[in-house]
Amino acid sequence: MSGTGDERASLISARLDFLFAHIFPRGGGPQSLDAVSLATGVPVALLRRLRAGDPVTEGEDDDPFTTRLEHLLKTRMTAEGKPHTITDVARACGKSRTWLYNLLDDRSKPSLESTKLLCRIFGVDPSFFTDGPLEALARHFGIEAGARFFVLPEDDELVRETKSQVELVALLREVGAPAVLSRYLGNLPPVAPPAGA
């Protein structure tokens, strides 16, 4: 990882600005901080600080489990469109409310099996609970280089290659090349074959 705290913060800010400017959800415009927070579990306040170039200590969100679980309880809805309750989540895990409160108060850690149950209830990948903020953001934006993309120097080959790929995908999106984009993004609807083919 490179540089002083201020240099690192500037790199992170510039890379986040780059990603927000180039990577949009399918059929939409630039993502809001709220939308990215909802998807990643990284608090909006921390996203604001990262985008503003404020230095953030490396271990500021080292153990994100409790923060992310609180985030899920506040932001995710049940299949019926209602907020999850402590009682319902604990019951779905076969545990008591006290167990869930102890997790939320960071007085205990979940077992692997309990984590899998929580992931299933909230519809998230286990990495949602374990990724640090930069790794979560890299995963959200589809950056294979992971958190390193945010902190390596501008002239690093990995950074240059990643930025070129992101710019290419953005360009293809702008000119409307869905067949090529689907190879990169994998989630676009298939293109219908020409009539008579």
Side-chain angles (χ1 to χ4, degrees):
M1 307 294 162
S2 75
T4 66
D6 288 342
E7 290 170 359
R8 183 177 187 276
S10 293
L11 284 173
I12 292 168
S13 173
R15 303 283 161 69
L16 278 172
D17 286 346
F18 172 79
L19 295 176
F20 273 88
H22 287 84
I23 299 178
F24 304 163
R26 186 172 55 160
Q31 299 178 66
S32 68
L33 291 179
D34 288 334
V36 173
S37 176
L38 180 68
T40 63
V42 177
V44 171
L46 180 55
L47 283 171
R48 276 194 189 101
R49 290 179 54 211
L50 291 170
R51 286 208 65 193
D54 294 341
V56 176
T57 60
E58 195 130 348
E60 189 157 319
D61 196 16
D62 269 345
D63 186 11
F65 182 85
T66 301
T67 304
R68 304 278 169 84
L69 181 56
E70 288 172 352
H71 174 81
L72 290 171
L73 284 164
K74 289 177 188 171
T75 62
R76 297 302 200 272
M77 300 294 164
T78 65
E80 296 80 31
K82 297 180 180 179
H84 287 278
T85 67
I86 297 287
T87 302
D88 292 339
V89 172
R91 188 178 297 136
C93 289
K95 306 285 185 178
S96 69
R97 289 168 39 109
T98 302
W99 168 81
L100 191 52
Y101 280 119
N102 284 340
L103 290 179
L104 291 166
D105 291 338
D106 205 22
R107 284 184 266 165
S108 65
K109 301 289 182 205
S111 66
L112 180 58
E113 190 58 38
S114 295
T115 301
K116 288 179 184 177
L117 288 169
L118 289 167
C119 289
R120 200 168 323 134
I121 290 165
F122 291 110
V124 296
D125 188 84
S127 63
F128 186 89
F129 287 114
T130 58
D131 284 348
L134 296 180
E135 193 62 44
L137 291 166
R139 186 180 309 278
H140 171 72
F141 284 110
I143 304 301
E144 291 180 11
R148 295 180 307 151
F149 170 73
F150 293 102
V151 295
L152 290 172
E154 192 67 29
D155 62 353
D156 186 273
E157 180 64 28
L158 184 139
V159 172
R160 287 195 322 258
E161 184 179 314
T162 300
K163 288 177 96 173
S164 292
Q165 290 173 355
V166 168
E167 288 168 340
L168 174 63
V169 171
L171 177 65
L172 292 171
R173 181 190 66 239
E174 286 177 28
V175 298
V180 177
L181 277 175
S182 67
R183 288 180 48 204
Y184 283 95
L185 304 177
N187 61 357
L188 296 175
V191 177

